[in-house]
Amino acid sequence: MDKTDYEKSVNFSKIPRHIAIIMDGNGRWANRKFMPRTMGHKAGMEALHRTVETCARIKVAFLSVYAFSTENWKRPPEEVNYLMQLLVEYIDKEIDELHRNNIKIMITGDYAALPVQCVKGVEKALDRTKNNTGMILNIALNYGSRREIVRAVRIIAEKSLNNEINPADIDEDLIGSLLYTQNIPDPDLLIRTAGEMRISNFMLWQVAYTELFVTPVMWPDFDRSILMQAIWNYQQRERRFGGLK
Ligand code: IPE
Ligand code: IPE
Ligand code: MG
């Protein structure tokens, strides 16, 4: 199908409720253009701007974006610092428009461990948008799914030691309620850009029955037409959740 045809074929009354995106390929995008990796991250920020705008417009209820993983600290400090700076810049630049569009910011991950400027920026954004009723923009920041699960297990162990929980009462709902995503549904569609066929520690629990879509397109080049391709693809799938048709 031609790039522009997906848009025509998408059923806009059946848009996935929760779309999650692993925004990958900023560095490779920059490399190909003989630019420093940081320029890729900067261009990635613009792709995020476009994507948030489109998703809000087509009435996606929840958009989760993987911005920084617990493993990304392994990168050179200059790159990590740049990403942190970019986060502050993103919030400063976008907050008015996000708020005007009734978007509510949510953070998953241990953002309190980020540099103080980032923590301040994040808290400002959370507070400013807390009463908004439109799309939830969930930014995964210093997020790792294994760490998220460990955190839940610790809470359960402590409650159990204090006799607040009986081990027999531990079930999927309890664990789900102790994850960062406690208040939002599992993703319906997970998009990964830049072609890698892996999850990279993103929402392992939550994506149990999520439909996956991987595109070779690098994140800075992500646009409405690729989003439409992903949604169209999703709409062709038959979700069975282990059952029969
Ligand atoms: C994604 O792009 C952004 C972050 C992980 C923060 P990368 O920086 O991983 O780009 P590649 O994968 O090296 O191309
Ligand atoms: C996943 O991308 C993390 C984010 C997009 C924030 P990575 O580039 O860190 O993943 P790997 O290292 O290729 O698995
Ligand atoms: Mg990468």
Side-chain angles (χ1 to χ4, degrees):
M1 211 187 307
D2 187 65
K3 225 174 122 169
T4 52
D5 290 343
Y6 292 109
E7 170 102 40
K8 292 183 209 136
S9 310
V10 159
N11 180 348
F12 285 93
S13 64
K14 286 195 176 129
I15 294 295
R17 184 156 66 134
H18 183 177
I19 297 179
I21 307 181
I22 301 176
M23 309 183 287
D24 196 21
N26 293 351
R28 277 165 281 172
W29 180 89
N31 269 340
R32 285 180 187 176
K33 294 183 146 44
F34 306 101
M35 298 198 290
R37 292 177 56 84
T38 47
M39 289 300 104
H41 295 312
K42 187 141 188 115
M45 194 167 86
E46 283 151 34
L48 179 59
H49 173 93
R50 292 195 290 275
T51 306
V52 168
E53 193 174 27
T54 307
C55 286
R57 207 167 274 170
I58 65 173
K59 301 268 183 295
V60 170
F62 305 90
L63 174 65
S64 291
V65 293
Y66 203 6
F68 192 85
S69 78
T70 47
E71 288 72 34
N72 287 147
W73 295 106
K74 293 178 196 162
R75 296 186 180 198
E78 307 78 58
E79 181 166 343
V80 171
N81 291 341
Y82 186 83
L83 286 166
M84 295 298 154
Q85 204 185 303
L86 207 56
L87 168 67
V88 175
E89 207 179 293
Y90 175 81
I91 293 170
D92 277 349
K93 240 174 94 181
E94 305 285 326
I95 188 70
D96 287 339
E97 190 175 330
L98 292 169
H99 187 52
R100 218 178 319 118
N101 290 330
N102 198 21
I103 292 168
K104 181 173 174 172
I105 308 269
M106 162 182 168
I107 305 288
T108 49
D110 183 13
Y111 74 84
L114 299 182
V116 60
Q117 278 311 103
C118 298
V119 178
K120 277 191 192 155
V122 163
E123 283 175 349
K124 189 176 74 181
L126 288 172
D127 190 59
R128 179 92 187 275
T129 63
K130 66 173 187 251
N131 295 320
N132 289 349
T133 54
M135 185 175 83
I136 306 261
L137 172 60
N138 171 33
I139 308 175
L141 266 181
N142 194 19
Y143 174 85
S145 191
R146 289 185 171 182
R147 193 179 285 182
E148 177 185 38
I149 293 168
V150 167
R151 181 174 162 271
V153 171
R154 282 199 184 136
I155 297 171
I156 291 173
E158 264 162 34
K159 283 186 191 286
S160 176
L161 279 175
N162 296 334
N163 292 318
E164 288 166 44
I165 307 184
N166 183 336
D169 296 334
I170 299 170
D171 59 11
E172 292 182 13
D173 286 341
L174 177 68
I175 294 174
S177 76
L178 295 170
L179 302 179
Y180 291 117
T181 47
Q182 58 195 166
N183 296 317
I184 65 171
D186 290 341
D188 299 296
L189 168 63
L190 172 64
I191 299 170
R192 181 166 187 146
T193 57
E196 237 72 73
M197 297 285 182
R198 57 179 174 251
I199 305 287
S200 302
N201 204 15
F202 190 48
M203 294 200 182
L204 300 178
W205 176 276
Q206 296 87 338
V207 300
Y209 272 104
T210 298
E211 297 296 327
L212 310 179
F213 180 84
V214 177
T215 170
V217 168
M218 300 292 151
W219 176 247
D221 289 329
F222 192 83
D223 63 8
R224 182 175 174 117
S225 67
I226 299 142
L227 180 68
M228 290 302 148
Q229 185 186 1
I231 293 175
W232 180 82
N233 244 276
Y234 167 85
Q235 291 178 339
Q236 310 312 305
R237 314 263 181 99
E238 185 192 35
R239 301 184 79 185
R240 288 188 292 273
F241 300 95
L244 299 177
K245 194 175 168 181

